[in-house]
Amino acid sequence: MENRESGIRNILKSHRLNDATFSILKFIVTAGVHPQYAILDQYNSYKIGNELFAHTRRKPFAVLHPNSCLALLPEALDYDRSEKGLSNYHQLISFASFIETTKPYICNSLRVPALALLLLSKSVICSEDDYSIVCDDFISYKFPRAMDFFTIVEQATAIRRQLARALNRSLEGDLSDSHALAKSVLSFLRSNVEYILTRRACPDDNRELGFVLPSGEKLSEKGDEETLTSIRLYEAQSDSKLEDELAINRTAEKKPSIEYFCDVCQKTLLFTTAFDILRHQRSH
């Protein structure tokens, strides 16, 4: 019996996710269900038994399903903020399903750092006039300090380009950028920057698409030398503790690889499984 309990403890320990890995998984899920997200109502009372309201882009005053984990542990949704709404812990609710019975309910939800939206939204408008960023003509970020505003914009643009570059390379079977990308995303989501998070009551469906920089130009999300240099500088300034936290990811990346020479691409590619090779062949 003792050996059995010890074995169970070892299994639980080996399957326990640290905060870094869990944050990356939540970001991946959020990207998968995007644009299904909501912002919590500012007048919510985070006590068990109270209804928790959240506003989606098309349906205001939706309710977190009372049997969801977040509704059963409402304290997890409460965080420190000033009287003006300043905080560096702002969060959004990402959800997989939305049902309407007597009320509109948000189901299968999880909380994510609000900054994640800057990396995923199709419409991001940066304004230098009031140091604000508006995503999807719905969620507004307002920064009291100009330095914080420009820092967040620079980091968001660099990571969006890095995301596009990593996605294109992964479709070719090259996963070499995965660790650097995870490190950049995690550092950005943990940015120690205070801002005010609000919503627009009547978002416009005819919003401008793309990432509009403070200069008024649209970001070209293509990898180039200037972008890669910016990414390297950003990574160099990141917290060194991330290396230890992402050790699980690095271990996973060291799985045996299969070399495969593609006649179409005319180069040798590395794949983890034979299924990945077949998927690459069918992509041509």
Side-chain angles (χ1 to χ4, degrees):
M1 187 67 180
E2 183 178 352
N3 292 335
R4 186 176 180 182
E5 291 180 356
S6 176
I8 293 175
R9 284 197 298 269
N10 291 335
I11 292 174
L12 291 175
K13 185 177 180 180
S14 64
H15 287 71
R16 185 178 298 131
L17 299 178
N18 59 18
D19 182 68
T21 306
F22 190 52
S23 296
I24 292 298
L25 287 176
K26 289 200 298 182
F27 177 77
I28 294 173
V29 172
T30 301
V33 301
H34 186 79
Q36 295 183 173
Y37 65 89
I39 180 173
L40 291 166
D41 189 80
Q42 59 180 329
Y43 299 110
N44 279 337
S45 177
Y46 297 100
K47 296 181 180 179
I48 296 178
N50 291 341
E51 287 188 327
L52 299 177
F53 293 98
H55 309 279
T56 70
R57 194 173 185 278
R58 295 187 176 276
K59 182 69 70 172
F61 294 101
V63 182
L64 294 185
H65 197 281
N67 290 331
S68 65
C69 293
L70 295 180
L72 295 175
L73 295 171
E75 299 87 356
L77 297 174
D78 198 9
Y79 55 90
D80 295 332
R81 61 179 74 81
S82 69
E83 293 182 357
K84 295 182 179 180
L86 273 173
S87 177
N88 54 354
Y89 301 110
H90 286 299
Q91 55 193 357
L92 297 172
I93 302 298
S94 178
F95 60 92
S97 56
F98 188 93
I99 61 174
E100 288 196 61
T101 54
T102 55
K103 297 178 181 178
Y105 287 107
I106 291 174
C107 305
N108 302 320
S109 57
L110 56 85
R111 58 192 179 101
V112 294
L115 291 177
L117 198 59
L118 300 180
L119 306 180
L120 302 174
S121 291
K122 290 185 177 180
S123 173
V124 181
I125 310 297
C126 304
S127 175
E128 189 176 356
D129 297 334
D130 56 355
Y131 306 128
S132 67
I133 304 175
V134 179
C135 293
D136 301 324
D137 198 49
F138 178 48
I139 301 297
S140 175
Y141 305 73
K142 190 166 185 179
F143 300 84
R145 290 181 287 272
M147 181 63 70
D148 291 341
F149 167 74
F150 287 108
T151 298
I152 289 296
V153 171
E154 181 181 2
Q155 293 176 356
T157 54
I159 297 176
R160 285 179 73 105
R161 285 175 167 176
Q162 190 180 9
L163 275 167
R165 178 174 176 269
L167 178 60
N168 290 332
R169 296 187 66 173
S170 66
L171 293 176
E172 298 175 355
D174 184 356
L175 303 178
S176 59
D177 292 340
S178 59
H179 177 69
L181 177 60
K183 185 178 176 182
S184 298
V185 170
L186 190 57
S187 298
F188 180 72
L189 297 181
R190 292 180 174 180
S191 297
N192 188 22
V193 174
E194 286 189 328
Y195 56 93
I196 300 173
L197 186 72
T198 57
R199 70 180 179 97
R200 291 188 172 183
C202 300
D204 187 1
D205 288 335
N206 298 321
R207 61 191 184 279
E208 184 176 4
L209 298 181
F211 195 109
V212 180
L213 300 169
S215 61
E217 300 178 357
K218 280 191 178 182
L219 173 70
S220 176
E221 298 183 16
K222 296 180 180 179
D224 51 31
E225 290 302 321
E226 182 181 354
T227 301
L228 298 181
T229 301
S230 175
I231 292 172
R232 293 190 191 103
L233 290 174
Y234 176 44
E235 288 180 349
Q237 297 171 355
S238 299
D239 191 348
S240 60
K241 293 181 180 179
L242 290 180
E243 291 294 340
D244 296 332
E245 291 190 66
L246 292 172
I248 296 177
N249 292 351
R250 287 204 304 272
T251 302
E253 290 172 3
K254 293 180 180 178
K255 293 180 179 179
S257 298
I258 304 174
E259 290 189 1
Y260 169 74
F261 181 80
C262 180
D263 295 330
V264 179
C265 299
Q266 287 297 308
K267 61 180 179 181
T268 301
L269 304 174
L270 296 178
F271 296 94
T272 305
T273 64
F275 177 77
D276 293 331
I277 296 177
L278 180 60
R279 182 169 55 184
H280 176 75
Q281 291 174 341
R282 291 185 174 182
S283 66
H284 294 301

